């Protein structure tokens, strides 16, 4: 049974969401603030974490910063603020997706299933290869990345994106492919999720954000992994 950890301070909404997801066959654990979130994740890591942004005490953004070093699983922000800046910030902090409250239950369910399909698809490949480019080593068995002998901490989604780019080194990876296979929904022409994830990868892999030379953007097409830029 898939275990969902829901952090939502509105107890009525939390109960409604938990009841709906339980009816869909999920096991749901509810927290009403983030004070015990780290301990809960360490004790029983969830298959998916649903995190409200506006919480008493530490808000969702701060909690995401804190737990992302120890939790690499799917993280879905649930926010009442329909603000592009907040959505982009959430993705930059390591969220895999976000929904705007009030959210239609079927929409939330679809987003959850999309994240689970991506995780299942990655696991089912059982790809135990590793790839190396100069000082960059990507190991799909351990899902670890090292650059210049330093381990780079990536979320599950960031690792999958890097692996896809590296598998297609010296080729343009179409933006639609990233949305279909990794994000789990078609690209609508406006969604910036892929761009934010690429930006996070560049930052973690010490690429030049203003003039990238390791992971390039090919405008109107997608992204290009440069194989000889890792020495």
């Amino acid at each position: 049974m898939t275990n969902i950890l829901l952090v939502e301070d509105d107890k009525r909404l939390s109960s409604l969401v938990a009841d709906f997801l339980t009816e869909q066959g999920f096991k749901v654990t509810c927290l009403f603030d983030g004070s015990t979130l780290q301990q809960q994740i360490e004790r029983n890591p969830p298959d998916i974490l649903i995190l409200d942004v506006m919480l008493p005490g530490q808000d969702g953004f701060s909690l995401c910063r804190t737990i992302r070093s120890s939790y690499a699983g799917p993280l879905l922000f649930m926010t009442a603020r329909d603000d592009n800046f907040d959505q982009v910030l959430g993705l930059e902090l390591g969220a895999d997706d976000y929904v705007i409250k009030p959210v239609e239950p079927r929409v939330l369910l679809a987003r959850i299933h999309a994240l689970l399909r991506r995780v299942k698809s990655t696991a089912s490949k059982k790809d135990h290869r590793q790839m190396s480019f100069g000082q960059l080593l990507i190991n799909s068995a351990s899902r670890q990345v090292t650059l210049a002998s330093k381990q780079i901490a990536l979320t599950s989604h960031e690792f999958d994106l890097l692996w896809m780019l590296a598998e297609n080194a010296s080729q343009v990876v179409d933006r639609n492919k990233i949305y279909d296979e990794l994000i789990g929904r078609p690209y609508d022409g406006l969604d910036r999720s892929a761009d934010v994830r690429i930006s996070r990868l560049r930052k973690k892999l010490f690429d030049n954000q203003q003039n990238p030379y390791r992971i390039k953007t090919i405008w109107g097409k997608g992204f290009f992994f440069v194989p000889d830029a890792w020495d």
Side-chain angles (χ1 to χ4, degrees):
M1 182 178 290
T2 300
N3 180 24
I4 296 178
L5 178 56
L6 171 64
V7 187
E8 166 60 64
D9 67 318
D10 184 328
K11 294 185 178 181
R12 180 177 178 276
L13 176 60
S14 178
S15 178
L16 289 172
V17 171
D19 288 347
F20 172 74
L21 293 177
T22 300
E23 290 173 359
Q24 304 304 313
F26 297 100
K27 179 183 177 182
V28 184
T29 302
C30 296
L31 298 177
F32 304 117
D33 60 46
S35 59
T36 61
L37 178 59
Q38 185 71 54
Q39 298 93 310
Q40 179 71 28
I41 287 175
E42 292 173 356
R43 184 167 58 247
N44 185 23
D47 297 300
I48 289 185
L49 172 61
I50 301 177
L51 187 59
D52 186 20
V53 172
M54 300 299 292
L55 291 167
Q58 274 191 291
D59 65 18
F61 292 148
S62 297
L63 289 168
C64 183
R65 289 190 187 95
T66 301
I67 61 99
R68 258 320 188 191
S69 61
S70 58
Y71 174 71
L75 191 158
L76 175 68
F77 267 128
M78 191 160 62
T79 175
R81 299 192 295 194
D82 186 8
D83 186 301
N84 286 335
F85 176 80
D86 286 339
Q87 294 169 17
V88 169
L89 177 59
L91 293 171
E92 287 178 341
L93 292 174
D96 294 294
D97 204 352
Y98 55 85
V99 292
I100 306 298
K101 295 191 292 186
V103 58
E104 171 65 36
R106 293 290 171 181
V107 172
L108 176 60
L109 183 63
R111 296 295 182 87
I112 289 171
H113 280 314
L115 289 174
L116 289 174
R117 279 195 301 271
R118 178 181 61 78
V119 172
K120 183 178 180 181
S121 174
T122 301
S124 67
K125 291 178 182 178
K126 296 181 180 179
D127 190 340
H128 298 295
R129 292 179 299 152
Q130 67 179 22
M131 292 184 283
S132 60
F133 304 88
Q135 297 189 73
L136 177 69
L137 178 65
I138 312 170
N139 189 306
S140 64
S142 62
R143 295 180 67 80
Q144 291 185 339
V145 176
T146 58
L147 179 58
S149 301
K150 177 183 179 182
Q151 186 166 323
I152 307 298
L154 299 181
T155 67
S156 178
H157 199 294
E158 290 166 352
F159 181 91
D160 293 339
L161 178 55
L162 177 61
W163 185 265
M164 175 184 282
L165 294 171
E167 266 194 320
N168 296 278
S170 297
Q171 303 175 52
V172 177
V173 176
D174 187 79
R175 187 183 295 268
N176 290 312
K177 178 181 175 71
I178 294 173
Y179 278 87
D180 290 340
E181 297 185 16
L182 296 186
I183 297 178
R185 58 177 180 269
Y187 178 54
D188 63 6
L190 299 174
D191 194 330
R192 295 184 57 199
S193 299
D195 299 270
V196 173
R197 288 170 171 80
I198 290 290
S199 177
R200 282 179 57 82
L201 271 181
R202 286 173 177 151
K203 182 177 181 180
K204 290 186 175 184
L205 296 172
F206 307 103
D207 201 354
N208 187 310
Q209 295 280 49
Q210 282 69 44
N211 187 26
Y213 64 96
R214 289 177 162 169
I215 300 175
K216 296 185 177 182
T217 299
I218 309 301
W219 297 108
K221 294 183 178 180
F223 303 97
F224 185 92
F225 180 96
V226 182
D228 57 356
W230 304 92
D231 293 325

PDB file of all heavy atoms in Angstrom, residues 127-129 139-144 159:
ATOM      1  N   ASP A 127      18.269  -0.561 -14.190  1.00  0.00           N
ATOM      2  CA  ASP A 127      19.463  -0.235 -14.977  1.00  0.00           C
ATOM      3  C   ASP A 127      20.629  -0.037 -14.019  1.00  0.00           C
ATOM      4  O   ASP A 127      20.644   0.918 -13.250  1.00  0.00           O
ATOM      5  CB  ASP A 127      19.190   1.037 -15.786  1.00  0.00           C
ATOM      6  CG  ASP A 127      20.280   1.305 -16.811  1.00  0.00           C
ATOM      7  OD1 ASP A 127      21.392   0.776 -16.676  1.00  0.00           O
ATOM      8  OD2 ASP A 127      20.004   2.055 -17.739  1.00  0.00           O
ATOM      9  N   HIS A 128      21.603  -0.946 -14.061  1.00  0.00           N
ATOM     10  CA  HIS A 128      22.714  -0.888 -13.119  1.00  0.00           C
ATOM     11  C   HIS A 128      23.986  -0.361 -13.776  1.00  0.00           C
ATOM     12  O   HIS A 128      25.089  -0.617 -13.313  1.00  0.00           O
ATOM     13  CB  HIS A 128      22.960  -2.269 -12.512  1.00  0.00           C
ATOM     14  CG  HIS A 128      21.789  -2.791 -11.734  1.00  0.00           C
ATOM     15  ND1 HIS A 128      21.335  -2.188 -10.585  1.00  0.00           N
ATOM     16  CD2 HIS A 128      20.959  -3.830 -11.968  1.00  0.00           C
ATOM     17  CE1 HIS A 128      20.291  -2.847 -10.120  1.00  0.00           C
ATOM     18  NE2 HIS A 128      20.031  -3.836 -10.941  1.00  0.00           N
ATOM     19  N   ARG A 129      23.809   0.367 -14.856  1.00  0.00           N
ATOM     20  CA  ARG A 129      24.978   0.924 -15.515  1.00  0.00           C
ATOM     21  C   ARG A 129      25.454   2.182 -14.804  1.00  0.00           C
ATOM     22  O   ARG A 129      24.769   2.731 -13.944  1.00  0.00           O
ATOM     23  CB  ARG A 129      24.643   1.274 -16.963  1.00  0.00           C
ATOM     24  CG  ARG A 129      24.375   0.067 -17.843  1.00  0.00           C
ATOM     25  CD  ARG A 129      24.040   0.547 -19.230  1.00  0.00           C
ATOM     26  NE  ARG A 129      22.837   1.378 -19.245  1.00  0.00           N
ATOM     27  CZ  ARG A 129      22.614   2.335 -20.132  1.00  0.00           C
ATOM     28  NH1 ARG A 129      23.513   2.623 -21.046  1.00  0.00           N
ATOM     29  NH2 ARG A 129      21.489   3.029 -20.101  1.00  0.00           N
ATOM     30  N   ASN A 139      25.933   6.974 -11.331  1.00  0.00           N
ATOM     31  CA  ASN A 139      25.718   5.555 -11.063  1.00  0.00           C
ATOM     32  C   ASN A 139      24.230   5.312 -10.842  1.00  0.00           C
ATOM     33  O   ASN A 139      23.646   5.806  -9.880  1.00  0.00           O
ATOM     34  CB  ASN A 139      26.519   5.128  -9.831  1.00  0.00           C
ATOM     35  CG  ASN A 139      26.500   3.624  -9.626  1.00  0.00           C
ATOM     36  OD1 ASN A 139      25.444   3.011  -9.559  1.00  0.00           O
ATOM     37  ND2 ASN A 139      27.679   3.031  -9.504  1.00  0.00           N
ATOM     38  N   SER A 140      23.621   4.537 -11.755  1.00  0.00           N
ATOM     39  CA  SER A 140      22.174   4.334 -11.659  1.00  0.00           C
ATOM     40  C   SER A 140      21.803   3.260 -10.648  1.00  0.00           C
ATOM     41  O   SER A 140      20.651   3.198 -10.213  1.00  0.00           O
ATOM     42  CB  SER A 140      21.600   3.970 -13.029  1.00  0.00           C
ATOM     43  OG  SER A 140      22.120   2.733 -13.475  1.00  0.00           O
ATOM     44  N   ALA A 141      22.746   2.390 -10.256  1.00  0.00           N
ATOM     45  CA  ALA A 141      22.446   1.382  -9.248  1.00  0.00           C
ATOM     46  C   ALA A 141      22.295   2.026  -7.875  1.00  0.00           C
ATOM     47  O   ALA A 141      21.328   1.788  -7.154  1.00  0.00           O
ATOM     48  CB  ALA A 141      23.539   0.316  -9.226  1.00  0.00           C
ATOM     49  N   SER A 142      23.263   2.870  -7.520  1.00  0.00           N
ATOM     50  CA  SER A 142      23.215   3.562  -6.231  1.00  0.00           C
ATOM     51  C   SER A 142      22.492   4.899  -6.318  1.00  0.00           C
ATOM     52  O   SER A 142      22.215   5.522  -5.303  1.00  0.00           O
ATOM     53  CB  SER A 142      24.630   3.814  -5.716  1.00  0.00           C
ATOM     54  OG  SER A 142      25.361   4.651  -6.605  1.00  0.00           O
ATOM     55  N   ARG A 143      22.194   5.326  -7.562  1.00  0.00           N
ATOM     56  CA  ARG A 143      21.569   6.626  -7.822  1.00  0.00           C
ATOM     57  C   ARG A 143      22.398   7.747  -7.176  1.00  0.00           C
ATOM     58  O   ARG A 143      21.859   8.661  -6.553  1.00  0.00           O
ATOM     59  CB  ARG A 143      20.116   6.655  -7.345  1.00  0.00           C
ATOM     60  CG  ARG A 143      19.241   5.691  -8.135  1.00  0.00           C
ATOM     61  CD  ARG A 143      17.798   5.708  -7.664  1.00  0.00           C
ATOM     62  NE  ARG A 143      17.132   6.964  -7.951  1.00  0.00           N
ATOM     63  CZ  ARG A 143      16.632   7.303  -9.142  1.00  0.00           C
ATOM     64  NH1 ARG A 143      16.758   6.497 -10.176  1.00  0.00           N
ATOM     65  NH2 ARG A 143      16.005   8.458  -9.303  1.00  0.00           N
ATOM     66  N   GLN A 144      23.698   7.637  -7.363  1.00  0.00           N
ATOM     67  CA  GLN A 144      24.609   8.644  -6.828  1.00  0.00           C
ATOM     68  C   GLN A 144      25.349   9.338  -7.959  1.00  0.00           C
ATOM     69  O   GLN A 144      25.617   8.745  -9.007  1.00  0.00           O
ATOM     70  CB  GLN A 144      25.618   8.007  -5.860  1.00  0.00           C
ATOM     71  CG  GLN A 144      24.999   7.526  -4.563  1.00  0.00           C
ATOM     72  CD  GLN A 144      26.036   7.018  -3.585  1.00  0.00           C
ATOM     73  OE1 GLN A 144      27.147   6.657  -3.971  1.00  0.00           O
ATOM     74  NE2 GLN A 144      25.686   6.988  -2.311  1.00  0.00           N
ATOM     75  N   PHE A 159      17.837  13.430 -10.332  1.00  0.00           N
ATOM     76  CA  PHE A 159      18.681  12.344 -10.832  1.00  0.00           C
ATOM     77  C   PHE A 159      18.123  11.799 -12.149  1.00  0.00           C
ATOM     78  O   PHE A 159      18.856  11.577 -13.111  1.00  0.00           O
ATOM     79  CB  PHE A 159      18.794  11.213  -9.810  1.00  0.00           C
ATOM     80  CG  PHE A 159      19.681  10.084 -10.277  1.00  0.00           C
ATOM     81  CD1 PHE A 159      21.031  10.093  -9.984  1.00  0.00           C
ATOM     82  CD2 PHE A 159      19.166   9.047 -11.038  1.00  0.00           C
ATOM     83  CE1 PHE A 159      21.866   9.076 -10.442  1.00  0.00           C
ATOM     84  CE2 PHE A 159      19.984   8.028 -11.504  1.00  0.00           C
ATOM     85  CZ  PHE A 159      21.338   8.037 -11.198  1.00  0.00           C
TER      86      PHE A 159
END
